[in-house]
Amino acid sequence: MEDEQQTKDRNNESSGRNKVIIAVFCLFLFLSGVLTLVLNSTKISATLTRIIKDNDKQDGGIERGIRGLTKGLEETISSGFIAKEKYIDLVGLADRMLGRQYINDVDPKRDVVKDNHELLHFLTRRMKTREVTDQLIQLNEILKDKRIPLLYVQTPIKVMPGFTELPPSIEDYSNSNSNTFLAGLSIGGVDYFDLRSEASKVQMNPSSMFYHTDHHWTNQTAFWAVREVVKKLDADYSLRLDPDLFYTDSANYSFITYENVFLGSQGRRVGRYYAGVDDYTLIVPEFTTQYKIGINKNGRSLSMREGTFENTILHKELLDMSSSVYKNRYAAYFGADYREVQITNKKAQNLYKILVVKDSFGLPFTAFLSTMVSDIRMIDLRYFSHEHVVAYIEEFKPDAVLFVYKGLGIRYNLISEILRLSRNLVQEESDSR
C-alpha cells in the first residue's frame, strides 16, 4: 500500500509539473502574440492592402485570395514575432520535460527526431534512385569523351547503423537510398568514393562526426574527408594535390573551439533546451595564404574578394560568438550556398583546376580543398539553373569533377537537379551535332 501511495504521489507531482509548464507556455504565447500584433500592426495592415490589391488586379478569385492572404499574414507575423527565439526555447523545454522524441514541424520534411544519443535528425523517406543514377551515368559518359574524370563523393550520413537508434516505428532511409544509388553508379561505370565506409575503417567516433543539433558534418569531419579524397585523387587519377602531405596535415592549421555557441538546423526548430547547444570549431591555415574569390549570387555579376583565407573565405558576421546561438555558424565558410563560387589560390604549388558540384556539405570541404588547388569552381545545382553546364565545363577545363553530396536527402531533391542538368546536356549535345 505504501508503494502504491508513493507511486500515486509521484504521478501527481509529475502531472502538476506538466500543468505548470503548459500554463507558463500558454501565458508566454498569449503575451507574445498580443505584442506581435500590436507592434507589427502597420506592417500587417500594409500586407493586407497589398495582397487584396494584387488579387483584384489578377482577378484570382476568392480561393486564391484566401491562400495569398493566409501565406502573407503568416510570413509577416512570423518575421516579426516578438521573442521568437525565447518562444522556441520554451516550447523545446516543454517537449523535453514531456519526454517527446518526435517533434512535428509545419513542414513535415523538417520534423525533428531525437535518437538514443540525444542527436537530432531530419528523416529521409524511401526514394527511387534509378532515374538519378541514369543521369549521372550519362554525364559521366559525356565527360569521359572530354577526358575529364568524374568522382561522386558520398559523405557520411548522420544516421549510422550500429550506433543510431531511432524511436520505435520511426524509420530513416538515407543509408538504404544511398546504397542503392551507389550500386547503380558502380554498374554504370561511375567512380564513387564512399566516406561512410572509410570512416568505419578508421573507427571514427560516430558521436563527434556531426553536430548534435545540425544535419551537417563538423568542420573536423570535413577536414578529414578532404584528406581522404586527396589520397583518392592521387592514387586513382594521378592528381598530386598534396605530394608532401603538408596541406592535409592538421598540425599546419589552427583549431579554435568555441563552446556552446551553435544551434544547428534541427536545433533551431526545437530550441536550445531540447537537446542542448553545440560547440563550434573553426579551422584556419597557419601558413601564408592569398586568394581571389568571386561569388555569383544572382547569375549576372561576381562579387569579388581578395586577401587571405580568413579575409576571403570566412564570413566574419557568423563568427561573432557574442551573437545569438541561432546564427547559422555552419555557413561561416563562404557565408552561404551560392550558385557559383570561383576560387583562385595564388599561393598554390600546382596548376590544377577542379569543379566541385555540391550540396551544403561542400562548404567547409571546398574551403579546405582550396588550400592545395590553383583554381576551384564550386556550383550548387539548387541555384545553378540557367547556365549551360557542359559549355561551362568546356570553358573551365577542370582536371576533375567532384560531386560532393550527402545523397538523396530530404532537404531537397537531388533527382530534380540532375534531371534539369540532364535536359541541358541532351539539348547541348543535339545542338552540337
Side-chain angles (χ1 to χ4, degrees), residues 28 81-92 263 267-268 270-273 323-327:
F28 182 84
F81 196 91
I82 302 301
K84 183 177 179 180
E85 292 180 8
K86 299 298 182 184
Y87 164 71
I88 296 172
D89 289 342
L90 187 58
V91 174
L263 199 58
R268 290 193 292 272
V270 293
R272 72 188 77 196
Y273 304 126
S323 62
S324 170
V325 296
Y326 280 75
K327 286 274 189 182

Side-chain angles (χ1 to χ4, degrees), residues 36-51:
T36 298
L37 292 174
V38 170
L39 297 179
N40 290 278
S41 57
T42 302
K43 188 186 295 185
I44 293 170
S45 177
T47 300
L48 283 170
T49 303
R50 176 179 56 80
I51 292 171

Side-chain angles (χ1 to χ4, degrees), residues 53 87 109 114 149 158 195-196 208 250 265 283 340 422:
K53 286 182 178 179
Y87 164 71
K109 296 177 182 178
K114 183 190 289 186
K158 195 172 183 180
L195 289 170
R196 297 174 302 169
S208 60
S250 60
S265 55
I283 304 175
E340 176 196 19
S422 175

Side-chain angles (χ1 to χ4, degrees), residues 153-390:
V153 179
Q154 169 65 62
T155 72
I157 292 176
K158 195 172 183 180
V159 175
M160 290 173 258
F163 175 76
T164 305
E165 293 180 14
L166 299 176
S169 77
I170 301 299
E171 291 191 69
D172 177 86
Y173 294 96
S174 52
N175 280 291
S176 60
N177 287 339
S178 292
N179 292 341
T180 303
F181 176 59
L182 295 181
L185 292 185
S186 180
I187 293 171
V190 179
D191 289 345
Y192 69 85
F193 191 44
D194 191 349
L195 289 170
R196 297 174 302 169
S197 59
E198 297 303 311
S200 179
K201 287 177 186 176
V202 298
Q203 298 182 330
M204 289 186 70
N205 182 358
S207 66
S208 60
M209 290 176 64
F210 288 80
Y211 296 105
H212 283 222
T213 67
D214 195 84
H215 66 288
H216 294 109
W217 53 11
T218 63
N219 292 336
Q220 299 94 309
T221 306
F223 186 91
W224 163 83
V226 168
R227 182 167 61 235
E228 298 305 307
V229 170
V230 168
K231 290 179 187 175
K232 175 79 171 176
L233 293 173
D234 187 351
D236 291 4
Y237 306 101
S238 299
L239 296 177
R240 307 201 68 198
L241 304 184
D242 189 24
D244 299 324
L245 305 181
F246 177 85
Y247 297 102
T248 53
D249 185 350
S250 60
N252 296 316
Y253 295 78
S254 293
F255 286 65
I256 308 163
T257 298
Y258 302 91
E259 296 182 349
N260 302 316
V261 295
F262 175 43
L263 199 58
S265 55
Q266 293 139 349
R268 290 193 292 272
R269 286 170 170 77
V270 293
R272 72 188 77 196
Y273 304 126
Y274 180 72
V277 180
D278 279 296
D279 296 342
Y280 179 84
T281 298
L282 180 67
I283 304 175
V284 293
E286 290 189 339
F287 47 87
T288 303
T289 57
Q290 187 66 29
Y291 282 88
K292 182 177 181 181
I293 306 290
I295 296 179
N296 186 341
K297 299 180 181 180
N298 54 24
R300 294 186 295 273
S301 61
L302 293 175
S303 172
M304 304 303 299
R305 305 174 187 169
E306 290 196 50
T308 63
F309 181 98
E310 291 91 331
N311 291 333
T312 57
I313 289 178
L314 295 183
H315 196 282
K316 299 297 179 64
E317 180 188 350
L318 297 177
L319 293 172
D320 177 7
M321 299 306 168
S322 64
S323 62
S324 170
V325 296
Y326 280 75
K327 286 274 189 182
N328 183 17
R329 306 205 195 283
Y330 175 78
Y333 295 95
F334 299 105
D337 291 302
Y338 298 110
R339 61 193 301 131
E340 176 196 19
V341 180
Q342 300 182 8
I343 308 163
T344 301
N345 180 351
K346 296 183 176 182
K347 293 288 186 180
Q349 303 299 304
N350 56 60
L351 297 176
Y352 287 128
K353 300 162 75 173
I354 291 179
L355 174 63
V356 178
V357 185
K358 58 84 184 176
D359 61 11
S360 52
F361 277 64
L363 293 177
F365 178 94
T366 306
F368 304 139
L369 183 66
S370 74
T371 61
M372 62 198 90
V373 180
S374 177
D375 284 286
I376 290 181
R377 300 284 179 90
M378 178 172 67
I379 63 174
D380 192 319
L381 295 179
R382 290 171 290 183
Y383 316 110
F384 195 91
S385 58
H386 301 296
E387 290 78 2
H388 295 284
V389 176
V390 170

